[in-house]
């Protein structure tokens, strides 16, 4: 189970614009971490491809408790997270799952 509460489904999709852009709802004050959006307003979740078969999902621009973020990230993806200075990544394609999770946290 996740350690931090997520927003309700209805609240999330009322904040989605017709273009598909997800308006940030504002993170809970109880979160020990924040993921800052890019200058264009998107969540910094990316797919890295190594060689022909290795895919990695990466979240950048993490501020605060990186260990707490990595623990939640592992629960969401089901994979072991590799922590770096301000980003976390894991094996596999988890883009949609991670974006929805961050959005539901209010990011």
């Amino acid at each position: 189970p996740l350690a931090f509460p997520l927003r309700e489904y209805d609240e999330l999709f009322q904040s989605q614009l017709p273009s598909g852009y997800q308006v940030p709802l504002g993170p809970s004050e109880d979160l020990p971490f924040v993921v800052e959006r890019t200058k264009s307003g998107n969540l910094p979740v990316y797919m890295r491809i190594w060689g022909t078969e290795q895919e990695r999902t990466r979240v950048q621009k993490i501020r605060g408790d990186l260990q707490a973020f990595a623990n939640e990230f592992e629960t969401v993806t089901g994979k072991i997270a590799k922590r770096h200075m301000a980003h976390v990544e894991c094996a596999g394609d988890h883009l949609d799952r991670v974006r929805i999770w961050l959005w539901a946290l209010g990011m």
Side-chain angles (χ1 to χ4, degrees):
L2 295 171
F4 304 104
L6 302 177
R7 302 290 173 102
E8 293 295 324
Y9 183 84
D10 291 339
E11 183 182 2
L12 289 175
F13 288 94
Q14 287 175 357
S15 69
Q16 185 172 15
L17 300 178
S19 65
Y21 176 74
Q22 300 163 334
V23 177
L25 302 173
S28 168
E29 295 174 5
D30 298 334
L31 290 177
F33 56 82
V34 173
V35 176
E36 296 177 2
R37 289 192 174 224
T38 63
K39 288 182 182 179
S40 59
N42 297 314
L43 288 167
V45 182
Y46 306 101
M47 173 68 75
R48 294 180 64 203
I49 299 175
W50 294 92
T52 57
E53 297 182 12
Q54 291 185 332
E55 297 176 330
R56 298 191 68 77
T57 301
R58 172 187 271 198
V59 179
Q60 297 182 170
K61 301 179 73 115
I62 304 165
R63 304 289 178 258
D65 188 347
L66 196 61
Q67 180 63 47
F69 180 87
N71 291 341
E72 289 288 282
F73 184 76
E74 288 177 353
T75 302
V76 170
T77 62
K79 301 287 183 173
I80 296 173
K82 186 174 181 182
R83 295 183 308 273
H84 300 278
M85 289 296 285
H87 71 272
V88 171
E89 65 182 24
C90 73
D93 179 359
H94 306 284
L95 279 177
D96 292 336
R97 181 181 304 175
V98 171
R99 283 182 180 146
I100 290 171
W101 166 63
L102 289 174
W103 188 30
L105 283 173
M107 306 288 170

